[in-house]
Amino acid sequence: MSYDAVVLISFGGPERPEDVLPFLANVTRGRNVPPNRLAEVAEHYQHFGGVSPINQQCRDLLAAIRTDFAAHGLDLPVYWGNRNWHPMLADTVAQMHHDGIRSALGFVTSAYGGYSSCRQYLEDIATARSAVGPDAPKIDKLRQYWDHPGFVEPHAAAVAAALATLDADRRESTRLVFTAHSIPVAMAASAGPEGGRYEAQLRETAGLVAERVAPDLPYDLVWQSRSGPPQVPWLEPDVNDHLRALAAEGVTSVVVSPIGFVSDHLEVVWDLDTEAAATAKQLGLDFVRAGTPGTDPRFVSMVRELVTERLNPADTAPRRRLGTLPAWDTCPDGCCLPVRRP
C-alpha cells in the first residue's frame, strides 16, 4: 500500500493555566477518577505555570523528524495531532483531508502494547476519521518499538551518563530503578492474547538497557503516576515505596530511568524530579534521574526506519530489533483489549 503522509500522534497537554481542568476532563472522561485526585493532579500542572512540557517536546520532535526525512530524501509531509489537547487529532485529520492526503502512517509517542498505550490510539484514529467523514484519510499505526535500538540506546546512554555522576566508591550499593506508568492490574492482564504484554515488554526494555550499561548492577522495574480509584488494584510497587524499601536494604545510590516514556513530560518532571527526588532526599539516598530519548538522533532516525519498513513491505532485510518478544505491526485481535472500568 502507498502512503502520502506521516502523522505524529501524542497524548497532549495544557499550555495555559486555564487549560488544565478542561484538559484533565478530557483525560479522565469515563474513568471515575475521584475529584480530589483531579485537584491534586491539577496542582501539579499549576506548579509549572499550568504548562505541560509535552506539546513543546512534540514540536521539537516534529521538527527533527521533518529535518531527518528531508536529509534522507523521504518526501512525506509530517502532521501532528493529540488525544487530549490541541492540536486535537480530529482537527489534524480534517487538515490532512483538506490537503488531499488519502493514506498516512501514524507514529505514536508510546513504545509499548496495552490499552492506553496502543489500542486506545487506534480508537482515537477511528474516532478522528469518523468526525471527518467517509473520505477521511486512512491512517495505519506503526509498530510498537520497545526493543528497537533507536529507543533502547538513547535510554542506555542516559543511564550511563547518570551513573557517571554518582560516587564510584558506592557502586556496590547502587541500584538501577526503571519506571513506567502504572495501570490497573486487570488492564495489564488483558494486554495481549497471552496476557501481560505491557509489563513483559517493559521488563524486556529494562533488561536490554541494564545489560548495555551496567550488567554488574541489580535493577528493578517499578511504577509511577497512578491515578485511579483507590479500591482498584494497580501495578505496584510505586517508585516512592520502592525507594523506601531500597534504603532499608542498605542501598545508598539510585539511578531512576523512566523507560516508559519518550520525553521528559510532566509525569516525569513531577512524579520523578519532584516527588521521588524529595523521597530520596528524606531517605538520604543519592538520586539521579536519567533522561529520555526526546530528539536524540537515534530516536529520530528510528521513526524514519519504522516508516520505510512499511513503505517497502517487500524488503527482506531483517527489522532492527534487540528483543525476543513477538513484534506486531499493530494490534491484532486481543492484543490490547480495553477492560470495563469499575
Side-chain angles (χ1 to χ4, degrees):
M1 180 174 180
S2 63
Y3 297 95
D4 47 11
V6 173
V7 57
L8 171 67
I9 306 172
S10 194
F11 191 80
E15 298 194 271
R16 305 176 301 169
E18 55 266 39
D19 294 342
V20 173
L21 288 177
F23 161 75
L24 290 176
N26 288 342
V27 173
T28 60
R29 187 169 289 113
R31 292 175 56 187
N32 298 321
V33 176
N36 62 328
R37 174 59 179 165
L38 274 184
E40 179 184 344
V41 175
E43 180 56 34
H44 299 169
Y45 284 92
Q46 299 299 355
H47 184 83
F48 297 95
V51 179
S52 168
I54 193 169
N55 270 9
Q56 186 56 50
Q57 290 162 0
C58 282
R59 292 186 186 98
D60 294 341
L61 179 59
L62 187 70
I65 291 170
R66 287 170 172 165
T67 299
D68 181 80
F69 279 16
H72 291 85
L74 186 55
D75 187 18
L76 289 177
V78 187
Y79 295 82
W80 166 40
N82 290 326
R83 170 184 291 172
N84 296 301
W85 203 246
H86 307 286
M88 300 297 288
L89 184 57
D91 295 334
T92 300
V93 174
Q95 183 63 53
M96 293 165 68
H97 177 255
H98 179 270
D99 293 344
I101 302 300
R102 291 187 285 186
S103 183
L105 289 167
F107 174 77
V108 170
T109 57
S110 174
Y112 301 94
Y115 176 62
S116 295
S117 53
C118 185
R119 173 73 70 175
Q120 191 174 3
Y121 280 107
L122 293 173
E123 295 174 359
D124 295 335
I125 290 168
T127 299
R129 294 186 68 244
S130 178
V132 173
D135 295 328
K138 177 179 173 60
I139 301 174
D140 290 333
K141 180 181 174 293
L142 292 167
R143 69 175 171 95
Q144 297 157 5
Y145 49 90
W146 79 96
D147 66 343
H148 194 288
F151 181 68
V152 172
E153 290 170 1
H155 274 298
V159 171
L163 267 174
T165 69
L166 293 173
D167 185 348
D169 292 337
R170 290 186 166 191
R171 189 173 180 90
E172 290 187 358
S173 57
T174 296
R175 192 76 148 246
L176 304 183
V177 177
F178 297 100
T179 71
H181 203 300
S182 185
I183 60 174
V185 169
M187 186 180 289
S190 72
E194 73 284 9
R197 186 167 180 80
Y198 175 69
E199 190 172 358
Q201 289 176 338
L202 280 156
R203 292 196 183 282
E204 183 162 72
T205 303
L208 290 168
V209 172
E211 178 184 19
R212 277 155 179 74
V213 178
D216 60 310
L217 292 181
Y219 68 90
D220 308 291
L221 173 66
V222 302
W223 309 96
Q224 62 172 91
S225 311
R226 177 194 168 120
S227 61
Q231 69 272 19
V232 177
W234 282 51
L235 293 176
E236 295 179 337
D238 175 79
V239 60
N240 294 283
D241 294 336
H242 189 65
L243 292 176
R244 296 183 186 99
L246 291 180
E249 292 175 12
V251 170
T252 62
S253 310
V254 292
V255 170
V256 175
S257 171
I259 56 166
F261 305 91
V262 304
S263 66
D264 291 4
H265 59 72
L266 190 119
E267 287 177 321
V268 174
V269 299
W270 176 263
D271 294 341
L272 299 182
D273 295 354
T274 306
E275 288 190 332
T279 297
K281 184 176 181 180
Q282 292 169 0
L283 296 167
L285 287 171
D286 292 335
F287 175 99
V288 185
R289 198 267 294 171
T292 49
T295 56
D296 185 292
R298 291 165 290 193
F299 184 65
V300 175
S301 294
M302 181 199 75
V303 179
R304 173 172 41 81
E305 288 186 29
L306 296 178
V307 169
T308 55
E309 279 181 6
R310 294 293 287 272
L311 293 177
N312 303 292
D315 189 349
T316 59
R319 295 179 172 186
R320 288 221 299 152
R321 297 186 60 220
L322 298 171
T324 59
L325 292 171
W328 294 336
D329 282 339
T330 186
C331 292
D333 290 342
C335 167
C336 305
L337 292 175
V339 295
R340 186 180 300 278
R341 296 189 178 96

